[in-house]
Amino acid sequence: MAATLSSSVGIYGPVFEYRVCEPMAPGKEEYLNSEKYEYYHWDWTIQNKLTTLITRINSLRYEHASLQQTNNIVFCSTNNEQVMAYYKYDDDLTDETLMVVSLDAFNNQQAMVRIPMEQMGNEPIKVQDLITGNTYYWDKEWNFVDLSPALPFHLFKIQR
């Protein structure tokens, strides 16, 4: 979520990417083998679901001008407090994205998401999920989304 909300936020890796989480001592947040205390060589050839997803999101941030903007953002209403949505666009409205995120890491969440028609107009749109490739046609102000813990977000490219 942070990687798409702001143009300047990234993910600290590879500790996060490789799930390094053994604590220095019980109840401590610092890692036992933290690169804070030692010089560490990471094996950048290791791939897992998380590294693949982060690589894809970083590519999308590079490819989409709307994800390179910090100020051009409109938060969208949802009917589920566990689901957050926001619409981003570039300055000339040639690149528009919609991010829908579950805030619940453990359960499936469904919601109706309100399209910001004040900014987008009242025309039907096609939204393509940039992670899965699935495409949906939305012709109403409120539209259904289904999110699971396995992939708790949609990053949609809006096409008119």
Side-chain angles (χ1 to χ4, degrees), residues 55-134:
T55 299
R56 178 71 179 134
I57 291 171
N58 283 339
S59 295
L60 293 169
R61 288 177 67 184
Y62 179 76
E63 295 167 11
H64 290 276
S66 62
L67 299 177
Q68 298 167 20
Q69 305 284 326
T70 299
N71 296 328
N72 297 351
I73 186 169
V74 176
F75 288 91
C76 305
S77 298
T78 73
N79 68 343
N80 180 340
E81 66 184 23
Q82 292 296 315
V83 175
M84 182 173 139
Y86 47 92
Y87 161 67
K88 294 191 74 176
Y89 52 93
D90 63 354
D91 288 333
D92 57 0
L93 294 175
T94 58
D95 188 70
E96 301 169 281
T97 50
L98 177 69
M99 182 72 159
V100 183
V101 183
S102 173
L103 304 176
D104 181 351
F106 304 104
N107 302 293
N108 287 0
Q109 293 293 331
Q110 298 178 336
M112 297 296 287
V113 176
R114 183 183 177 275
I115 297 298
M117 300 183 107
E118 303 80 12
Q119 286 81 17
M120 295 176 59
N122 201 13
E123 305 266 329
I125 58 173
K126 178 168 84 170
V127 293
Q128 179 183 17
D129 190 316
L130 295 171
I131 303 300
T132 66
N134 294 337

Side-chain angles (χ1 to χ4, degrees), residues 7-33:
S7 60
S8 62
V9 173
I11 298 172
Y12 174 69
V15 171
F16 180 74
E17 296 170 23
Y18 295 143
R19 302 178 192 162
V20 175
C21 59
E22 187 177 348
M24 184 177 245
K28 298 287 185 179
E29 285 187 26
E30 291 191 60
Y31 305 118
L32 176 62
N33 296 314

